[in-house]
Amino acid sequence: MSTTTKPITLYTASTPNGYPISVALEELAVPYNTHAISFKDNEQKAEWFLKINPNGRIPAIVDHAASDFPVFETSAILIYLADQYDPDRKLSFDPVKERAAYYESIEWLMFAHGGVGPMQGQSNHFFRYAPEKIPYGINRYQSETRRLYSVLEARLAEPGREWLAGDRYSIADIKTFPWVQSGPWAGVELGEYPKIQAWLHRITSRPATHAGLGVPTRTDHAARLRDADRIAEEARQVFFSGVGKDGKSKV
């Protein structure tokens, strides 16, 4: 076991993929160290980090209380934290006693993992970062993101429903909301989704979640949109300076 006094080290960045892990750790009151990964320095492709996550992406954790066991991928980390650090089921459900809610949480977690994140990520790319505007790509991924939001809206419109799964805030919500919160960056406005807006308000009003959204740094979404051209250009320089001679992205 590492000599660190905190059980978890989190390797992350201020993105919709990174925030869920710091949010979960804060909600569970698990002590952790933070290592902010520098995309500008291509740190996620460093040899030492690839030993933690062979895919070279954030987030990742190392559990020092489990012989420095590494876990990568946002959803896998959330499931791991629920299994190993949530005995009171604050953010998760008992698979035996709360079977339906447990599987609902896994369903919606995977809905975000395989749907919202990838589709909105592509919308971000074509709308903000692509070196040339390709209307088909923009329309394709913005339309799919809106469709996925409509699924979330319908889910949250069910009578008495405040959360995506079961009767409480869970890893399914934590995985999903940072992407939805940043929808306008992908060109998808939230005005037509009142249930989603109310859900986001419930989530971001939670003190521990608010704290987690400050790790490693807090995103001011309104300011980001006001300065969108400059921010997108800076990101573009990082993204495309990381393309090697083989045409493969280093980011």
Side-chain angles (χ1 to χ4, degrees):
M1 177 176 171
S2 169
T3 57
T4 181
T5 58
K6 296 180 180 179
I8 299 291
T9 295
L10 168 62
Y11 300 89
T12 191
S14 300
T15 73
N17 282 329
Y19 285 135
I21 309 308
S22 50
V23 165
L25 289 166
E26 293 288 341
E27 287 281 351
L28 294 172
V30 177
Y32 65 102
N33 300 299
T34 302
H35 183 119
I37 294 293
S38 172
F39 295 150
K40 184 177 180 180
D41 295 335
N42 213 28
E43 192 176 12
Q44 73 281 6
K45 299 301 183 184
E47 183 177 354
W48 69 266
F49 185 70
L50 292 175
K51 293 178 181 178
I52 298 170
N53 181 359
N55 195 35
R57 297 286 191 272
I58 64 93
I61 65 168
V62 171
D63 187 347
H64 305 296
S67 302
D68 293 337
F69 183 69
V71 188
F72 63 90
E73 287 290 341
T74 305
S75 297
I77 298 170
L78 290 172
I79 293 170
Y80 181 86
L81 293 175
D83 287 347
Q84 302 299 319
Y85 287 93
D86 191 15
D88 297 326
R89 300 297 181 186
K90 295 178 181 178
L91 300 178
S92 58
F93 303 92
D94 189 299
V96 176
K97 297 178 181 178
E98 302 172 291
R99 182 177 179 182
Y102 172 81
Y103 284 109
E104 282 183 350
S105 71
I106 298 299
E107 288 172 345
W108 288 99
L109 180 73
M110 296 307 165
F111 172 84
H113 187 90
V116 177
M119 295 300 102
Q120 190 171 323
Q122 290 299 316
S123 184
N124 286 343
H125 177 82
F126 283 102
F127 185 62
R128 295 290 182 188
Y129 306 128
E132 59 180 302
K133 292 294 184 182
I134 303 174
Y136 174 80
I138 294 171
N139 294 335
R140 165 74 177 90
Y141 290 109
Q142 285 183 344
S143 295
E144 181 61 7
T145 300
R146 292 188 183 97
R147 186 192 70 78
L148 293 165
Y149 282 16
S150 72
V151 175
L152 290 171
E153 181 75 6
R155 175 64 168 175
L156 293 165
E158 293 175 3
R161 178 158 299 285
E162 293 189 338
W163 311 108
L164 292 178
D167 61 358
R168 58 186 178 271
Y169 185 50
S170 76
I171 58 174
D173 303 285
I174 291 173
K175 165 65 182 179
T176 311
F177 89 85
W179 280 104
V180 179
Q181 187 180 41
S182 63
W185 185 253
V188 180
E189 299 299 330
L190 302 179
E192 63 185 283
Y193 308 106
K195 296 298 183 182
I196 284 178
Q197 291 183 76
W199 170 71
L200 288 173
H201 179 73
R202 286 192 293 275
I203 291 172
T204 55
S205 295
R206 299 173 65 92
T209 289
H210 179 78
L213 289 172
V215 178
T217 58
R218 194 171 305 280
T219 298
D220 184 331
H221 294 283
R224 193 179 186 215
L225 290 171
R226 287 194 297 270
D227 202 12
D229 289 345
R230 180 189 63 79
I231 292 171
E233 179 56 32
E234 289 179 356
R236 200 176 292 120
Q237 294 300 317
V238 172
F239 294 157
F240 295 105
S241 66
V243 176
K245 293 180 181 180
D246 58 2
K248 296 181 179 179
S249 172
K250 297 178 183 179
V251 179

